[in-house]
Amino acid sequence: MSSQLNVKMKFPSSGCFKVVPLNCEGSFKALWASVRHSNAPSMDIFVEVSTSQIVTPTPTIPLRLDDVAQFVSLQANDINEGEFDGNLEGDEFDEEFATLDENLIVIEEDGDDDLVFASAPIVEFNKVDPLDEDELNSWKTWESMVRYEKGKEFAVGQVFTNKASISDEVTFYSVQANQFFKVAESKPDTVTYKCGRSPSPCNWRLRATRKDPYSQAFTIVTYKGPHDSSCVGDMVPRDHFNLKRAFISHLIRNYVEGDWGYKVMSVVEVILDKFGYKISYAKAWNAKQRAIGDIFGDWDASYEMLPRFMQGLKESNPGTVVQWSTTPIGNSNVHTFKRVFWAFKPCIEGFEHCRPVLTIDGTHLYGKFKGTILTAMSIDANNQIFPVAFAIVESENNESWSWFMACIRLFVTKRSGLCVISDRHAGIMNAMSEVGSGWEEPHAFHRICIRHLASNVNTRYKNVKVKNMFGSTAMQFQEKKFDIGFARLGEMDRDAQHYVADVGIEKWSICHDGGHRYGILTTNLAEAFNNVLKGARFLPITALVQCIFFRVNAYFVERREEARKRLLQGQHYSSKITHLLEENCKKGAYHKVVSFDHVGGLYQVTTRRGSRNVSRGSHLHTVDLSKRTCTCNKFQTYKYPCSHVYAVCKKMKLNASQFVEISYTTGEHLASYASKFHPLKDEAYWGHYNGPRIVCDEGKRRGKGSMEYRLQPGPVNPEVLTQQETHRSKAIWDGDDKGSLRCRSHLAMHKGFLVSDRVVDFIRESQFYFIHRVVGLKFNVDFITALVERWRPETHTFHLTVGEATVTLQDVQVLLGLRIRGDVVTGTSACNWRALIYELLGRTPEEEDLKGASLRIGWLTEHFSGLPEQANEQVLHQYVRAYLLILMATVMFPDKSGNDIQVVYLPLLRDLDAIDDFSWGSAVLATLYRNLCRSSNMKARDIGGPLILLQLWAWERITIARPIVTGPENPPLIQGPYPLGSQHQLRVDSLGRRWLSVHRRRPQGTTITTLLGYRDALDNMRPDQFVWQPYPQAIFSFLPEACYNDLGEWCVVSPMICFDIVEWHLPNRVARQFGWKQNIPEPADTEPKLHKMDKRGAHSRNWAEYHSAYLAMWFRRYQFRFIGVEDNSDMGYNDPYMVWYRDRTRRFISPTFQQAYQAPLGATAYLAHGFAEVHRTCNTEIQAMPQEVPPHYRNIMSNIRDNTSQSLEHVGYSHLLQQFHQPTQETQVEEQHEERGDGSTMQESTAEDDETLQVFRRRSRRTNTSMSPINEQGTPEPSKAKKIWSRLRGKKKT
């Protein structure tokens, strides 16, 4: 009796199983299709014993599809892909297997299991016990049989991969459990940990050893744990002793590997979320750098690796250029890295097929070492970036830029007539003008980036309109249009016109360019590629070069494939150029052509209106085909036909393609990327490097925990400041400082405007009279900008270093006299404004004066200045309304339009007897809040709103640079001095009147005059520099009752409304301003969606109905009055509110480590000079100490000297320690002034140091007798020092 074993498989299909023998091509097709079929849940493989008498199927072993995927993949290559692709679904799946084999056995699904199990003699035969994985792996004696579960208790016998692994697990265990450990013993084969809690540790102990000398695994041999129940401590959100940077770097490795620019504060947040501990910024930064080093190689070793990598790169890609600039160290073979330049061969060859244009730019490197990467980019046939050359240099300076440009000229291209576009960096300007460099004309042409120059114009002259006019003028193609724009620029600002003219008109004007820049206006090409490298700039230097290599290669592969496809499609030009040519061809179809010289190619083209009737048309242009010129100048600029040339070609039946420069063709596009990169060889196959050993420049190392990285601007906890990513404080800290805001107040509209006495008398009894009395206040723009940088839309408060503060309803009424109680200032935007103006003002504005609801203020000042002598009451009312509108436009509700007023307020002035029935105070404060919220965004450049209120509040509350109010010439008959200034009228004016500019003077010794100075002052603000107490009751006796009769309204928590504006008043966050104790406030919701709402697109909206829910809250505001607990004591540094606040605020605005030219202010300067004197005295005494002086005296003096040195270095005054032989403090300060000749703004620092110098002169006269005398060599006389120490020793003996 013969028998045979057959391997078969069965798979589910349409309610039954199909059985296939695994012995033919069809069976492998079926197996492959089953694996590829996503809906096939499982597959059975079984062995069938075939005999002449009986067939006994063995029990099936179900297998998942992925269990046999590897086996199937080995057989898949034998399947004819043309006949079967493996992508079968539904009915196709069944049809495929219906044709595999006619001899397939079909078994019904329901009966299959019964047939198999019925064949066993007893049921127990069908039972299969689960397999023991440990038993199966027991023969692998080198693997751990006791696995440790992270975070659980340890146990004897647990095995760890290596010593570092057990260290990480012990750290994780301890930090998670709020325990501490110390390393009691650490040897190559043994490590012991014990409890590290101080002062009384418990008996917790763990000891592990390496048992096998051929393995790195460590096994726990002793464990006494867990920690005792008495070994506990409070969970304090501070740094943990055992959270070392090595452990943190392992935790964040995946984050850093996925995002090279992973933020340091994100590391802090990860540790805080995982363990509840807040590590320092320095530790997080160091951990991130270590993680980057673990992934991409050691930072220091990367400099040594770079020459070998460059050699391997040149071997794999012959023709690649690499140039070095290093500094030898002594006579050794060790050189300090300075610069490296490289250009890949495909880039060098491809540039020959690009347009002769280069854009150059530089950007900073991040990480452990400072540096700058310089890039040179061109533009290909498809108007896309083409990388040409790269360099890593120490910084952007004259030498580095000259070296970079020389390398490009020597090793990359010698093309004549190149156009180089850049910003106006001094190093670039010098390099391009250097005689004999190959970059001077006519070998090359230097052009300026219009965007950078426009930004310089705006920064220099603080006028966006001037900037826009310059930009528009620079982009004109025709000289006549350029002349008009340039003349207008001179009319707007003659100095700005001279400034851009001195730069050289041909360097920035398109029509005077001569066609060299091909219409490329900016350096955006180079800057765009720098953004591509943004993440790579965090990497070690060798990894950075590797990243650039692979990214440029990927860029070439993608562009090469695009060009090849386009060439195969028969497209003659690149896609973007084809689109531009088609647009010009369409425009040319509407032009009229007149021939003047057919042979010479001279034609006149008259433009016509297009099909959409949007162009003005009727312009005459002259086309000269022989010279390839057109008077529109676009033909010469872009080097391809303009619409006028297309019109001529169509008229004369010429082929316009002959006038397209070859650099735009698809062939040139493909040729630019035709040269290929080659893969790098394995490092083992690189050739031997014989050059010098390159090491990093220690002067470029960013120190561990230095001030640059240790200074944390905040917030540490982001739960309050949720909009920090878009706040202007972030942009300033990141180096994107736009300078002072432009304040829109329209106060200039009052010049020459006459207000009749009758008009003033009419409004005297209204709240607008107080506004009339404060007109003329001058703004401190820099101070206002510094305050805006600290305004937070999330809380409607200024986040100062001493706590939150804000302008409240109390300040509005006391300073401006505006009522709080009353109806909401709101209404509808749907109205016939022209008719309403005529009804209430008696005049109808012209069309250009009234656009929608915006009325030109100049129209009001022109028609309502003064009052006719015989004016009746109706005319008087019209003039009163006009003046009230002017007050609203210039003081109360100025917008950023420039010279308009929204006439939506006019209906509220219909009944002049009822104008005091409205809550103008809350409307003004809501407008201020809205403008502060919008201007605090990093993209804002100007600010509107009632800035008079903000300025008055700042002078009342903040003592920094506060003006001194002069006394009155004729004081009123009151006891004691009159405190409210020379022009404040008793019980007539509001409190803000005393700050008018003509009646104030700057305090003596105050030197803060710039934005940087105010930022620094607010960053270092002291608690005594803010007035927390409410306005004293005594001051109310000098004010009219209208300035305080709504006292009960000052503390309401309510929305404030002014037409489209809705902003929340939150006095609970500034309780100290009302004389109450400040507790930790409840979370604030200022509804950020409201900040985006305005009148645009809502010309017919009834704002009263739209904001009905908020109006209801306003009328119920008395139910939500905030009443605190009276407390006039000073708040301490460790007060619960201040501890809570410091973690949730933005403490610093000015990035002092990025602005080395910014000197500290008076107090810091005074202390810095005092520390320098202490340092100098200690150093002098140490040098003069006799040998017999006890060592601990010398150590004490050394510690004091070192601590003062570190402190001076942190605050930017280390230059005071450069020379110790200076005979007097006076000489030192004078030399310090000479060192500041860098052209930066130093007015406040110089004056402050002058005052400090006077102080030190006085101190020197008082203390000169106690100081050691100085001889001619500038060293102390040893005899005097010995006498001092002799006296000390004598006292000690006594």
Side-chain angles (χ1 to χ4, degrees), residues 138-153:
S138 60
W139 62 281
K140 300 178 182 179
T141 57
W142 59 86
E143 289 191 358
S144 170
M145 297 304 298
V146 182
R147 297 181 176 85
Y148 171 70
E149 297 183 23
K150 184 178 290 291
K152 303 294 184 180
E153 281 296 325

Side-chain angles (χ1 to χ4, degrees), residues 157-173:
Q158 290 176 342
V159 181
F160 300 85
T161 307
N162 49 39
K163 192 175 182 180
S165 176
I166 191 172
S167 176
D168 285 348
E169 296 298 347
V170 171
T171 302
F172 190 94
Y173 166 86

Side-chain angles (χ1 to χ4, degrees), residues 767 770-771 774 777 787 791 796-798 800 804-820 891 920-926 928-929 932 946-958 962 989-995 1026-1032 1035-1036 1039-1040 1042-1052 1056 1065-1075:
Q767 51 188 304
F770 304 114
I771 300 296
V774 297
L777 182 75
L787 287 174
W791 176 264
H796 284 173
T797 56
F798 297 101
L800 307 174
E804 292 181 77
T806 193
V807 186
T808 65
L809 292 173
Q810 174 192 31
D811 301 297
V812 178
Q813 187 166 23
V814 174
L815 294 174
L816 297 182
L818 294 177
R819 292 287 304 274
I820 308 304
V891 180
W920 294 106
S922 64
V924 167
L925 188 57
L928 177 63
Y929 279 11
L932 286 172
L947 298 182
I948 282 184
L949 173 60
L950 179 59
Q951 182 72 84
L952 294 174
W953 175 86
W955 282 336
E956 287 288 345
R957 292 288 182 179
I958 302 175
R962 172 197 281 179
D989 292 325
S990 63
L991 185 61
R993 171 73 180 180
R994 66 170 175 158
W995 296 106
F1026 191 92
V1027 179
W1028 289 110
Q1029 281 71 30
Y1031 298 100
I1035 213 76
F1036 292 159
L1039 304 178
C1043 291
Y1044 55 85
N1045 59 1
D1046 292 339
L1047 187 146
E1049 308 272 346
W1050 292 349
C1051 300
V1052 295
M1056 301 177 296
H1065 183 244
L1066 303 173
N1068 58 310
R1069 302 194 71 90
V1070 291
R1072 284 186 288 174
Q1073 291 183 218
F1074 298 93

Side-chain angles (χ1 to χ4, degrees), residues 310 393 563 587 633 659 696 731 736 806 950 981 1081:
M310 288 298 194
V393 299
K587 293 179 182 178
N633 204 34
F659 302 108
C696 57
D736 186 16
T806 193
L950 179 59

Side-chain angles (χ1 to χ4, degrees), residues 569 594 837 1100:
Q569 293 171 0
V594 177
I837 293 173
S1100 60

Side-chain angles (χ1 to χ4, degrees), residues 783 800-802 954-962 1008 1016-1028 1161 1163:
F783 193 23
L800 307 174
T801 58
V802 295
W955 282 336
E956 287 288 345
R957 292 288 182 179
I958 302 175
T959 62
I960 296 174
R962 172 197 281 179
I1008 306 175
D1016 187 69
L1018 293 177
D1019 282 350
N1020 298 277
M1021 191 176 187
R1022 303 188 308 271
D1024 62 335
Q1025 291 178 319
F1026 191 92
V1027 179
W1028 289 110
L1161 298 178

